[in-house]
Amino acid sequence: MCGIVGYVGKRKAQPILINGLLRLEYRGYDSAGISVMEETGIKTIKNQGRVKGLLEVKEIEDLKGTMGIGHTRWATHGKPSAINSHPHMDNEKTTSVVHNGIIENYIELREFLTKNGYKFLSQTDTEVIPNLIHFYYEKTNKKDKMDFVKALKQAVEMLKGSFAIEVLNNDFKEEMFVVRKDSPMVIGKGVEENYISSDIPAILSFTKDFYLLNDYEFAVLSKDDVEFYDINLNKIEKQPKNIAWDVSSAEKDGYEDFMLKEIYEQPKSIRETIGARITLGVKSTLDELDFTKEYLESVDRVYIVACGTAMNAGMTTKKILEQFCHLQTEVDIASEFRYRKPLITPKTLCIFISQSGETADTIAALKLAKEHGAKTIAISNVIGSSITREADYSLYTHAGPEIAVASTKAYTSQIVLLAIIAIYFAEVLGVSSRELEELKKEILEVPKKIEEILDNTEKIKDFAKRISNEKDVFFIGRGIDYTVAMEGSLKLKEISYIHAESYAAGELKHGPIALIENGITVIGIMTDAELAPKTVSNLQEVVTRGAKTLVVTNQDIDKSMFDEVIEIPEISEYISPILSVVPLQLLAYYISKERGLDVDKPRNLAKSVTVE
Ligand code: M6R
């Protein structure tokens, strides 16, 4: 949450910072601000509301400096307001700081600083940082930049929590300073210019070469150089990583919104996920994994752990892992897993899924699994993201940057990759079945089948119009279709603000059916031949009570009783969510558009949840 950018080079910093912030706005959009180093010292402009509001501030055009920092905020401590916006400065207005993360002990630090004569203007946790830096810097000889880095180190050693921090100080007109712990930040390497960003897409149009900072590593950026220091302030060398993402992948490319573009990109992103990982008649190759039969036979259980949509993707894999590989599998929400003292042994295999690779709860759950000696696999979309650096093994979805807050193409790519991993396990375990080969064939056919769905969206648009003013919508399904009900309901609530619930269809009569009354919308998903007749009966029960029904199915059922039926191509029920989710993604999208909402930046949400 919160987006940070930084620039130092030969060009005017202001437009580059604003451009970066506009691209990072999906990380938070409660307020925005920038500080630029001018000849006379640091100048700061900040505002409540969206980044574009900064452009309306008259003084913005006066900023001529070639080095600066910027921030777009997702409020944690202190309501959205100009005073709580970043950058924050110390009392003497010598040091300007932007921060992503949470300082957990800020109250204690405020007391410490107050006792030392400091005053606070905002309600934020961040404001302690420039003041702490000032406090320690005053104790140095202020001889050179290393004195400042030393003060920065002393300040961050006082902080508990998570942070990615960028700092400007009036004594250094050509250098800026950064440090991070448990919050994302990358440094982009240019020619006679260098960049900082919370994530790669925001500065992809400027560079494809990125340095990754580990926890408690410091960097000093100038126009021509980036110097790195470890926690003991020993100089360290780093090589930039080249990121092969295409610049246009971070642009809207003619689509009205990123979400729609990303929904339509799914055939391509899935092709990229599959890559050379499966070939018919040949054992699946996963270069990233080196598991043996003995190891997999010794695994006592598999945990799949993630948050939100990534967790919903994980849910779909339980059945394949259990039925093909006979691996007992539990799927859990990371924020629950990390505190519930799960049974983890050195024989446990834990798979963590995160599109961004920066989700705080997922990273914490991964660290817990490692502490207990489990083997860990990370599945992420972002090369070099924190989760991939922590895990024993990392596999990338290669879905390309996902910008819209509502996750779509990441979900389908995660399911594909998880299915491929399950097939790989099954093959290592020596399971050779016709069904396994059939599953591979089905995976290879998925992109074409999604194209078929995307070519035929009229019914979905029409149903979206019909229910766009509803207050409550229910999603039901059984087995793997229940997992899609969960994802469909999450998508709808997050971008349309309609109250949506998902239920295992069989659970309806254990309570929720009490809510079904005339005109209420129930969406049923049916792709499992064995379970479809049962879900049909459950839908019949809500139709009897006056519900309006939409069905997404590839089964041969009596369709006459439903208000609308979206037919999807046939597919193995092990991976059917990859197809059945697409109409639900589009439904949520078109409902949000009907309601005139900001599809890509829904209220209160942020793309990457880097705080607990
Ligand atoms: O980056 P991650 O996959 O770890 O993110 C997890 C969730 O925050 C994310 O899937 C969230 O639920 C999306 N907004 C759903 O559309």
Side-chain angles (χ1 to χ4, degrees):
M1 342 209 60
C2 299
I4 62 179
V5 284
Y7 173 78
V8 52
K10 50 193 177 181
R11 293 185 278 162
K12 226 170 109 170
Q14 179 266 104
I16 296 170
L17 296 174
I18 300 282
N19 181 301
L21 288 181
L22 285 168
R23 288 163 188 268
L24 277 175
E25 229 183 5
Y26 58 86
R27 301 182 65 91
Y29 24 90
D30 293 330
S31 60
I34 60 174
S35 281
V36 173
M37 183 62 78
E38 299 291 307
E39 271 172 20
T40 50
I42 300 167
K43 285 275 175 306
T44 297
I45 293 181
K46 52 190 194 172
N47 231 343
Q48 185 182 341
R50 295 278 171 104
V51 175
K52 63 179 185 316
L54 288 178
L55 295 170
E56 283 153 28
V57 179
K58 213 172 92 260
E59 294 76 26
I60 198 100
E61 284 308 321
D62 302 340
L63 299 177
K64 303 276 186 283
T66 58
M67 175 171 82
I69 55 179
H71 188 268
T72 175
R73 178 169 186 247
W74 187 87
T76 57
H77 297 67
K79 61 179 188 328
S81 69
I83 201 82
N84 287 334
S85 315
H86 299 218
H88 288 281
M89 296 197 85
D90 64 304
N91 288 176
E92 303 288 327
K93 307 254 176 284
T94 55
T95 300
S96 179
V97 166
V98 298
H99 161 228
N100 175 22
I102 286 187
I103 306 305
E104 289 163 4
N105 59 336
Y106 80 104
I107 295 187
E108 208 177 287
L109 295 173
R110 268 184 182 234
E111 281 165 11
F112 166 79
L113 287 163
T114 307
K115 279 192 196 126
N116 283 284
Y118 289 84
K119 294 203 169 19
F120 292 91
L121 305 174
S122 76
Q123 294 133 15
T124 64
D125 51 341
T126 301
E127 203 183 351
V128 297
I129 304 172
N131 286 304
L132 273 177
I133 297 172
H134 177 268
F135 175 79
Y136 287 112
Y137 187 45
E138 286 304 301
K139 296 190 186 309
T140 71
N141 297 327
K142 294 188 173 182
K143 244 182 16 255
D144 59 22
K145 68 178 180 216
M146 285 321 288
D147 282 328
F148 191 75
V149 180
K150 197 172 138 209
L152 179 58
K153 165 186 147 74
Q154 286 174 300
V156 298
E157 278 173 346
M158 299 280 283
L159 307 179
K160 290 200 180 117
S162 56
F163 47 82
I165 300 170
E166 295 177 321
V167 192
L168 295 180
N169 177 278
N170 276 335
D171 284 353
F172 305 97
K173 297 279 189 309
E174 288 173 4
E175 281 125 348
M176 59 188 186
F177 305 84
V178 299
V179 57
R180 74 175 278 267
K181 183 201 161 243
D182 294 338
S183 272
M185 175 157 67
V186 293
I187 296 176
K189 181 181 179 306
V191 179
E192 290 183 71
E193 49 191 7
N194 290 302
Y195 306 85
I196 303 163
S197 177
S198 299
D199 54 35
I200 293 165
I203 51 174
L204 204 54
S205 55
F206 300 126
T207 180
K208 288 192 174 180
D209 294 322
F210 293 89
Y211 294 106
L212 305 173
L213 271 192
N214 293 321
D215 283 356
Y216 289 113
E217 282 180 351
F218 299 81
V220 181
L221 288 87
S222 57
K223 177 163 79 69
D224 297 309
D225 201 9
V226 187
E227 289 174 0
F228 297 97
Y229 299 90
D230 67 13
I231 182 68
N232 300 314
L233 301 191
N234 297 314
K235 202 161 178 194
I236 48 176
E237 291 303 321
K238 280 186 184 281
Q239 290 310 314
K241 258 185 190 300
N242 186 269
I243 305 286
W245 280 350
D246 180 354
V247 180
S248 70
S249 60
E251 310 282 348
K252 280 193 197 153
D253 237 357
Y255 284 88
E256 231 175 284
D257 308 273
F258 278 111
M259 183 178 174
L260 190 62
K261 175 184 174 233
E262 288 157 8
I263 291 173
Y264 274 84
E265 271 175 352
Q266 291 179 106
K268 177 170 171 250
S269 54
I270 289 173
R271 285 191 182 101
E272 296 290 325
T273 305
I274 300 171
R277 284 167 166 153
I278 46 174
T279 314
L280 293 179
V282 181
K283 275 196 173 180
S284 304
T285 47
L286 283 181
D287 298 340
E288 302 90 338
L289 300 179
D290 56 4
F291 291 178
T292 59
K293 187 166 186 254
E294 293 66 40
Y295 166 68
L296 284 172
E297 279 173 348
S298 74
V299 167
D300 57 8
R301 71 179 67 79
V302 177
Y303 284 119
I304 301 180
V305 183
C307 299
T309 287
M311 206 281 299
N312 292 343
M315 292 283 290
T316 66
T317 315
K318 180 176 165 71
K319 187 167 168 175
I320 318 188
L321 283 177
E322 293 195 339
Q323 303 206 353
F324 282 104
C325 311
H326 303 290
L327 288 164
Q328 188 203 322
T329 305
E330 260 187 66
V331 186
D332 210 346
I333 299 166
S335 56
E336 290 293 313
F337 181 84
R338 65 183 288 196
Y339 292 117
R340 77 168 163 88
K341 302 195 172 69
L343 276 180
I344 309 172
T345 74
K347 290 183 174 173
T348 307
L349 174 62
C350 296
I351 304 178
F352 298 88
I353 315 165
S354 173
Q355 186 284 129
S356 62
E358 302 295 347
T359 300
D361 283 319
T362 311
I363 296 169
L366 165 50
K367 287 182 178 165
L368 177 85
K370 280 181 80 179
E371 274 162 33
H372 286 77
K375 235 190 228 316
T376 55
I377 300 180
I379 293 185
S380 180
N381 194 32
V382 180
I383 313 275
S385 56
S386 301
I387 183 184
T388 65
R389 286 190 272 159
E390 287 284 342
D392 299 320
Y393 300 91
S394 295
L395 288 97
Y396 293 103
T397 42
H398 300 305
E402 191 181 65
I403 312 282
V405 166
S407 183
T408 53
K409 64 174 179 172
Y411 170 80
T412 45
S413 279
Q414 285 159 355
I415 298 175
V416 168
L417 185 49
L418 285 160
I420 294 173
I421 293 174
I423 292 172
Y424 164 81
F425 286 178
E427 289 180 341
V428 171
L429 282 164
V431 178
S432 107
S433 75
R434 231 172 3 99
E435 230 182 334
L436 206 57
E437 199 58 15
E438 187 53 34
L439 190 56
K440 286 198 214 171
K441 191 166 158 272
E442 295 248 14
I443 291 175
L444 292 168
E445 286 168 358
V446 157
K448 270 199 83 51
K449 290 184 178 176
I450 296 188
E451 274 158 8
E452 277 175 46
I453 300 174
L454 292 173
D455 281 347
N456 204 348
T457 59
E458 283 318 305
K459 276 189 189 176
I460 304 169
K461 281 186 196 157
D462 184 54
F463 198 76
K465 268 200 190 110
R466 278 155 65 192
I467 67 163
S468 64
N469 290 319
E470 297 293 305
K471 294 241 172 326
D472 308 283
V473 174
F474 290 84
F475 290 77
I476 62 168
R478 285 172 179 255
I480 204 146
D481 295 323
Y482 169 46
T483 71
V484 183
M486 290 165 65
E487 178 57 10
S489 141
L490 175 63
K491 231 49 337 146
L492 183 64
K493 61 176 82 108
E494 95 181 302
I495 60 166
S496 76
Y497 317 148
I498 293 176
H499 169 234
E501 298 264 7
S502 54
Y503 277 99
E507 273 291 290
L508 267 190
K509 47 172 108 51
H510 296 284
I513 202 160
L515 297 169
I516 304 299
E517 55 188 17
N518 214 17
I520 212 143
T521 303
V522 180
I523 297 175
I525 302 109
M526 284 174 275
T527 64
D528 184 319
E530 230 176 278
L531 300 173
K534 297 188 185 302
T535 308
V536 168
S537 302
N538 299 127
L539 283 163
Q540 177 74 68
E541 288 155 11
V542 299
V543 168
T544 307
R545 287 162 180 82
K548 185 152 63 249
T549 47
L550 168 73
V551 163
V552 175
T553 190
N554 52 11
Q555 297 299 303
D556 186 15
I557 49 166
D558 173 11
K559 301 181 176 92
S560 62
M561 73 167 138
F562 306 119
D563 290 279
E564 194 60 89
V565 177
I566 311 288
E567 296 194 65
I568 59 168
E570 278 185 18
I571 184 167
S572 151
E573 76 267 15
Y574 287 104
I575 53 166
S576 62
I578 309 171
L579 297 191
S580 53
V581 79
V582 179
L584 304 181
Q585 295 169 338
L586 287 165
L587 185 73
Y589 172 82
Y590 286 116
I591 291 177
S592 178
K593 292 301 276 185
E594 278 295 318
R595 291 165 76 96
L597 300 172
D598 186 340
V599 177
D600 286 338
K601 300 188 192 89
R603 72 182 177 205
N604 303 338
L605 295 175
K607 181 68 183 162
S608 168
V609 185
T610 52
V611 296
E612 194 179 339

